[in-house]
Amino acid sequence: MKTSLKIILTGLLICLFFTNPTFVFAQQKARPTSKQSEIERKINALLARMMLAEKLGQLQQLDGEANGKYRPEHLELARNGLLGSTLNVRGADQSNELQKVAVEQSRLKIPMLFAFDVIHGYRTMFPIPLGESASWDLASIEKSAYIAAKEARSAGVHWTFAPMVDIARDPRWGRIAEGAGEDTFLGSQIAFARVRGFQGTDFSRNDRVMACAKHFAAYGAAEAGRDYNTTDMSVRTLREIYFPPFKATVDAGVGSFMTSFNSINGVPSTANPFLWKQILRDEWKSDALVVTDYTAVMELMKHGVALDEADAARLALNAGIDIEMVSRFVNKHGEQLIQNKKLSMATIDNAVRNVLRIKYQLGLFEKPYADATREQAMLLNAEHRKFARDSAIKSFVLLKNERETLPIKKSTKEIAVVGFLAGDKRNMNGNWAGDGREQDAVTVLEGVKNKLGNSAKVKFAGGCDAKCEDTSGFDEAVKLARDSDFTILTVGEDIDMSAEASSRTDIGLPGRQLELVKRIHQTGKPYAVVLMNGRPLTINWLAENSPAILETWFAGTEAGNAIADTLFGDANPGGKLPVTFPRSVGQIPIYYNALPTGRPFEAQNKYTSKYLDSPNTPLYPFGYGLSYTTFKLSNLQLSQNKISKTGELKVSVDVENTGKRDGAEVVQLYVRDFIASLSRPMKELKGFERVVLKAGEKRAVEITIRAKDLGFYSATNQYVVEDGEFGLTVGTSSDDEGLKNTFAIVK
Ligand code: BGC
């Protein structure tokens, strides 16, 4: 492009930028996995003594019983050195019994590795990951993972299948609940924090577990939001949007990776050498252990890339996977594949090395057993519960609060708690609730009663269950609302609706719940909506009509207490959406960091990018969330206006709590690359900071942006940092006009 034209276009975009919304980055330092030569020596010595059957045994992972018990078959396999690991076997007693057989009765005494999905807590449950991500509080996210690790390790679990770091831009996909939402920058920061929380810097400790970055890759981009469906996208998008959170886990020293169920551009992840050899090993230099997802080797036949069982095993091993979860093709056909020269012994040995290395790094050869006394002291202890309450509070997002409907005055005499979800323990913990027990959870109803004691009458009516097909309980619920001074109306999804294999084409309130809301609304009595859900919902009617909406996701063991703290003003909600809430399914995919179009929206011009029947804008944008207090940003300062391609820029802004209550605000920094060799997003989060301010307090916040984090993948998939003008917006939501300035990266 001619320089003069580039200047004109840049000028034009800068003008537009000051009239349009636009947006940061601060990447944490990588911490490479250290190769310990001592361990490598031990591995070689052990490998030299292993028979092929024992090697294949190390590459096999089998499932336990649903209640955490091992299967009788496991004992026999362990005794013969034919089983390297299990998933779901847990509890000090169970894991020790099985471990004892492996360590004391097998020929080579190789300890077993016990894995489990510790996604948002082991016994003490924290908010589901999407909810926790709404806190934008990295220290808190790291700590909840640490507590989860502490509990899990005490119960004999060495390895968690978390964090799930799949970027998800499609709320129809039920597993959006398990990740950090739609944004690559936020998602990468959270991925790093979660790995650090689980593993620390040394996962041999008795309070840490090995983490697993899953599901590599692009599982969250399943076509049509339908779980397990195929994904198809450019390698550029993979590298720019979907890979960085995985790279962040490598930087945090993650011990393992899991394959995804989907195929990517036609190649199933479990048979995909591009992912495992080129990206993970060659480019990222990671020696993380690679496990397949559940029966994913078997599924290679259904994907239509493997002829038979042996072929599936061959494809997976040659693509670079180490452990086969649940299906047994590698085990069954490994020997034959070697004999037929379809697989080399070096490939098997390499996979076995990766397994043994982790077992040494976890310290299992020295300390194979869990300590039952420690387990007793750890699970659900008072400190963990307290932290669960704090982290739940931080996850709540206040979506609407007209005329200060919230907080509810504690002097209110008669409170109606309406909605099935408010009284159902099972729904507090959320999906993938580890070893969390229903009976441990505090419901909304219990939380409100705990809060108010005898000072108010608190009555409950379910109205209908979460599926809400039967409306026979509506009259009772409406009467209760009419007879009370204030109604807490809890609506949303059942935990099984936002989960694996739980895609939805309609993401509104399930069944006839909206009718119940409308009827309560018609009573004219004050009420607030408490939402429970694991995905964005299309709640347009509520957004327009209900006086107050508090998004609480599935908040874990202390959900009810945390919700009551927030509803009655002992806590002030400060969460921000980590994902866009669309107005309708028809808008999907809708995410804040979209590219510009050549025909941007103009109300008066038909031939611009828009819908005939809906605004382009979302119902609630990424980064959005209110508070019981108000905040003002001022005094935006840049350390300089020009930086080199290796330089950095310090951005500072004053944040003031201008209301009457203490509260938290998340300062968000977005950038826009005006003119580049490729079209760049209208705004991209490149930095943020959560600040807690007392009423009236003012503080300066400083965020650093590095030029090298402002690059992108070129059309030929090279990471490039280009010179030119950038716009910068500091605000409190992705749609916030905020404070603006520009800077340039110079040659
Ligand atoms: C899920 C994984 C999980 C595994 C083991 C699979 O169905 O996709 O995320 O780790 O099961 O429970």
Side-chain angles (χ1 to χ4, degrees):
M1 188 186 306
K2 275 208 182 109
T3 320
S4 53
L5 185 60
K6 188 164 173 169
I7 292 170
I8 295 169
L9 277 174
T10 308
L12 213 74
L13 276 167
I14 293 175
C15 292
L16 275 173
F17 172 72
F18 280 96
T19 52
N20 274 318
T22 304
F23 306 95
V24 167
F25 216 118
Q27 199 165 294
Q28 313 230 16
K29 245 345 248 157
R31 202 185 163 280
T33 317
S34 59
K35 283 234 175 83
Q36 300 152 349
S37 45
E38 176 62 21
I39 289 183
E40 297 306 315
R41 264 200 302 280
K42 286 183 181 165
I43 294 173
N44 286 335
L46 192 51
L47 203 58
R49 298 175 56 207
M50 290 175 84
M51 298 185 297
L52 180 56
E54 288 165 329
K55 291 180 182 176
L56 295 174
Q58 289 303 311
L59 308 186
Q60 179 70 60
Q61 180 172 81
L62 293 179
D63 200 352
E65 308 270 5
N67 54 9
K69 292 199 163 56
Y70 57 78
R71 295 173 195 270
E73 176 205 16
H74 295 166
L75 291 177
E76 201 46 37
L77 289 170
R79 189 170 296 118
N80 294 321
L82 302 179
L83 182 60
S85 65
T86 60
L87 73 154
N88 290 327
V89 173
R90 60 190 184 277
D93 291 347
Q94 276 295 305
S95 63
N96 285 347
E97 275 176 32
L98 183 54
Q99 189 69 301
K100 200 168 158 57
V101 172
V103 170
E104 295 181 17
Q105 298 178 25
S106 72
R107 190 176 78 91
L108 295 172
K109 305 188 174 1
I110 302 174
M112 290 193 48
L113 187 52
F114 297 119
F116 187 44
D117 290 273
V118 183
I119 308 294
H120 54 111
Y122 178 76
R123 175 73 182 269
T124 309
M125 299 316 302
F126 300 99
I128 56 164
L130 185 67
E132 199 185 42
S133 304
S135 71
W136 297 51
D137 186 332
L138 299 174
S140 178
I141 290 171
E142 182 173 334
K143 185 157 175 196
S144 81
Y146 173 48
I147 293 175
K150 235 202 279 198
E151 291 193 355
R153 190 71 184 248
S154 79
V157 172
H158 313 125
W159 180 11
T160 175
F161 293 141
M164 189 198 95
V165 302
D166 299 313
I167 293 299
R169 290 167 157 185
D170 192 330
R172 292 173 296 185
W173 189 56
R175 301 196 78 170
I176 197 169
E178 289 173 57
E182 76 184 34
D183 184 54
T184 302
F185 179 82
L186 179 64
S188 301
Q189 304 273 324
I190 290 177
F192 188 99
R194 287 196 167 127
V195 172
R196 273 302 158 89
F198 288 127
Q199 296 192 165
T201 51
D202 170 10
F203 53 64
S204 71
R205 288 172 47 145
N206 68 354
D207 57 355
R208 301 287 182 176
V209 293
M210 174 170 74
C212 181
K214 73 185 190 186
H215 309 82
F216 199 47
Y219 182 39
E223 272 185 9
R226 179 160 48 80
D227 205 5
Y228 316 127
N229 205 4
T230 188
T231 67
D232 199 283
M233 65 173 67
S234 68
V235 172
R236 221 183 67 68
T237 301
L238 269 175
R239 286 184 180 274
E240 199 165 305
I241 307 294
Y242 290 85
F243 283 177
F246 288 93
K247 175 59 165 53
T249 68
V250 170
D251 293 345
V254 75
S256 68
F257 263 60
M258 188 186 288
T259 70
S260 56
F261 286 126
N262 56 290
S263 60
I264 305 168
N265 304 337
V267 188
S269 151
T270 307
N272 198 324
F274 165 68
L275 295 180
W276 306 110
K277 294 195 159 159
Q278 185 178 329
I279 302 294
L280 185 68
R281 304 283 187 231
D282 297 348
E283 292 191 22
W284 296 350
K285 312 271 177 259
S286 166
D287 58 6
L289 177 66
V290 177
V291 63
T292 71
D293 203 343
Y294 209 97
T295 62
V297 176
M298 182 172 83
E299 290 162 30
L300 292 179
M301 295 193 296
K302 296 215 171 129
H303 275 292
V305 296
L307 189 64
D308 53 22
E309 295 184 358
D311 203 30
R314 174 188 67 83
L315 279 170
L317 281 171
N318 284 333
I321 70 109
D322 300 319
I323 291 184
E324 177 177 6
M325 192 196 290
V326 177
S327 50
R328 305 185 188 197
F329 295 177
V330 168
N331 210 282
K332 219 163 124 188
H333 304 284
E335 200 172 334
Q336 174 210 330
L337 288 168
I338 298 256
Q339 277 165 7
N340 298 346
K341 303 212 170 352
K342 296 207 164 144
L343 193 66
S344 72
M345 189 61 90
T347 301
I348 297 276
D349 284 354
N350 204 30
V352 176
R353 273 201 176 85
N354 292 340
V355 178
L356 295 178
R357 185 178 304 112
I358 291 301
K359 292 189 174 183
Y360 280 110
Q361 287 174 352
L362 277 160
L364 299 185
F365 285 87
E366 296 92 61
K367 288 188 181 164
Y369 299 115
D371 172 351
T373 321
R374 187 176 156 81
E375 179 186 34
Q376 278 260 308
M378 280 301 137
L379 302 191
L380 202 69
N381 70 29
E383 189 201 328
H384 298 176
R385 279 199 92 122
K386 184 177 177 307
F387 192 75
R389 188 164 175 164
D390 291 348
S391 79
I393 289 169
K394 285 177 182 168
S395 75
F396 299 157
V397 184
L398 184 64
L399 295 176
K400 186 174 177 190
N401 195 18
E402 242 173 40
R403 284 171 268 110
E404 298 191 351
T405 304
L406 291 176
I408 309 166
K409 289 189 186 59
K410 283 193 191 146
S411 56
T412 311
K413 286 289 167 237
E414 300 204 11
I415 304 262
V417 176
V418 170
F420 165 82
L421 291 168
D424 185 47
K425 284 186 177 284
R426 181 173 168 273
N427 269 294
M428 300 302 122
N429 285 342
N431 211 280
W432 287 111
D435 205 39
R437 312 279 162 93
E438 282 175 36
Q439 71 266 20
D440 300 336
V442 180
T443 64
V444 179
L445 178 62
E446 289 166 338
V448 172
K449 285 186 172 168
N450 293 342
K451 169 91 27 206
L452 300 178
N454 292 329
S455 72
K457 266 199 221 149
V458 180
K459 290 196 183 157
F460 175 73
C464 58
D465 65 11
K467 292 203 171 60
C468 204
E469 279 146 12
D470 176 4
T471 60
S472 58
F474 280 16
D475 287 347
E476 183 203 351
V478 174
K479 180 170 176 343
L480 183 62
R482 193 174 291 121
D483 295 345
S484 305
D485 302 320
F486 195 100
T487 296
I488 297 166
L489 176 54
T490 306
V491 290
E493 301 183 300
D494 183 275
I495 51 171
D496 297 325
M497 291 179 193
S498 293
E500 183 175 346
S502 305
S503 297
R504 298 178 65 198
T505 58
D506 173 354
I507 57 170
L509 290 177
R512 299 172 72 174
Q513 289 189 32
L514 184 58
E515 285 175 39
L516 179 62
V517 179
K518 287 181 178 170
R519 287 195 53 194
I520 303 263
H521 182 83
Q522 274 160 15
T523 63
K525 297 297 273 293
Y527 74 100
V529 173
V530 171
L531 281 180
M532 286 190 191
N533 47 290
R535 56 152 63 78
L537 297 176
T538 48
I539 43 166
N540 305 340
W541 192 92
L542 272 58
E544 210 168 297
N545 301 285
S546 297
I549 310 172
L550 183 69
E551 171 60 80
T552 67
W553 319 101
F554 295 107
T557 312
E558 288 288 327
N561 285 330
I563 290 170
D565 287 342
T566 311
L567 290 175
F568 290 93
D570 290 331
N572 187 353
K576 301 279 181 172
L577 293 179
V579 62
T580 304
F581 274 44
R583 295 174 193 272
S584 69
V585 168
Q587 288 184 311
I588 298 170
I590 177 169
Y591 45 89
Y592 84 94
N593 51 346
L595 298 186
T597 135
R599 295 186 172 194
F601 173 84
E602 275 174 46
Q604 304 312 322
N605 185 349
K606 177 173 164 61
Y607 295 98
T608 59
S609 186
K610 57 174 177 274
Y611 298 103
L612 293 177
D613 56 356
S614 164
N616 288 359
T617 55
L619 185 61
Y620 295 115
F622 172 84
Y624 170 84
L626 305 170
S627 166
Y628 296 156
T629 186
T630 47
F631 295 91
K632 187 168 172 267
L633 304 187
S634 61
N635 193 26
L636 176 66
Q637 305 268 355
L638 274 54
S639 56
Q640 64 246 58
N641 284 97
K642 286 188 170 49
I643 50 174
S644 72
K645 288 186 178 178
T646 53
E648 58 178 46
L649 179 68
K650 291 194 188 326
V651 178
S652 81
V653 69
D654 293 344
V655 197
E656 186 179 359
N657 180 342
T658 50
K660 295 195 185 73
R661 286 173 182 270
D662 302 351
E665 180 56 283
V666 180
V667 177
Q668 302 164 34
L669 196 162
Y670 296 86
V671 298
R672 176 165 187 194
D673 184 349
F674 289 122
I675 302 291
S677 56
L678 286 175
S679 192
R680 300 298 302 148
M682 304 280 284
K683 55 192 93 159
E684 280 186 289
L685 183 72
K686 291 290 178 187
F688 63 87
E689 186 148 336
R690 182 178 182 273
V691 232
V692 181
L693 294 175
K694 299 224 166 302
E697 192 184 343
K698 184 174 178 176
R699 200 184 305 158
V701 166
E702 189 177 274
I703 297 172
T704 303
I705 317 177
R706 301 180 304 183
K708 68 171 181 188
D709 298 331
L710 301 179
F712 55 89
Y713 283 87
S714 69
T716 53
N717 295 319
Q718 303 302 313
Y719 188 77
V720 290
V721 178
E722 293 183 350
D723 53 87
E725 287 283 324
F726 287 76
L728 176 150
T729 303
V730 180
T732 58
S733 166
S734 66
D735 72 339
D736 183 357
E737 287 293 316
L739 303 169
K740 290 176 188 292
N741 210 328
T742 59
F743 66 95
I745 294 183
V746 291
K747 281 200 181 115

